[in-house]
Amino acid sequence: MSFEGYWPYVYIAVAGWLATDFWRWAGVLVGNRIDERSELLNWVRAVATALVAAVIAKMIFFPTGTLTSSPLWLRLGAVGFGAAAFFLGGRFRQILGIAAAMAFLAAGLALLGA
């Protein structure tokens, strides 16, 4: 394959880097000046948490891809099992919660033959 075939990929990589790098540096510069206990930062955290919760809820109740072959009770069970592992996890609670939910879901799909 000649180098001509790579130009679209180079363009996408450079354009993507330029588009996001400015905002990263702006975040670093502005972030140093924001008080961690400010109402603005509390609002930003609340919005970010709500967006993550909305994406997870969408994946549970309106799945796409492989998840469409899994029943709702299995998806809800995986969330519950992951949450229990998270709260009992100790030092590595985030990794443990995610891994436990994934393992529960994978085992359930394997048992159901999906």
Side-chain angles (χ1 to χ4, degrees):
M1 179 181 246
S2 70
F3 192 67
E4 290 178 13
Y6 291 112
W7 279 113
Y9 300 110
V10 171
Y11 176 76
I12 290 169
V14 170
W17 174 76
L18 287 175
T20 59
D21 202 50
F22 169 77
W23 295 109
R24 289 179 185 161
W25 281 106
V28 168
L29 293 175
V30 173
N32 288 335
R33 298 180 189 147
I34 295 177
D35 180 24
E36 291 181 17
R37 297 167 301 212
S38 71
E39 286 299 315
L40 176 64
L41 199 55
N42 285 336
W43 179 79
V44 168
R45 284 186 191 130
V47 169
T49 302
L51 287 172
V52 170
V55 168
I56 292 170
K58 183 181 181 294
M59 289 172 53
I60 294 170
F61 294 108
F62 304 105
T64 59
T66 304
L67 285 178
T68 57
S69 64
S70 65
L72 178 63
W73 63 265
L74 180 60
R75 295 188 302 264
L76 290 173
V79 170
F81 189 72
F86 173 82
F87 289 118
L88 300 173
R91 182 174 178 198
F92 299 104
R93 66 172 62 200
Q94 291 149 337
I95 295 171
L96 185 61
I98 293 169
M102 288 174 57
F104 187 94
L105 186 62
L109 288 172
L111 288 173
L112 294 174

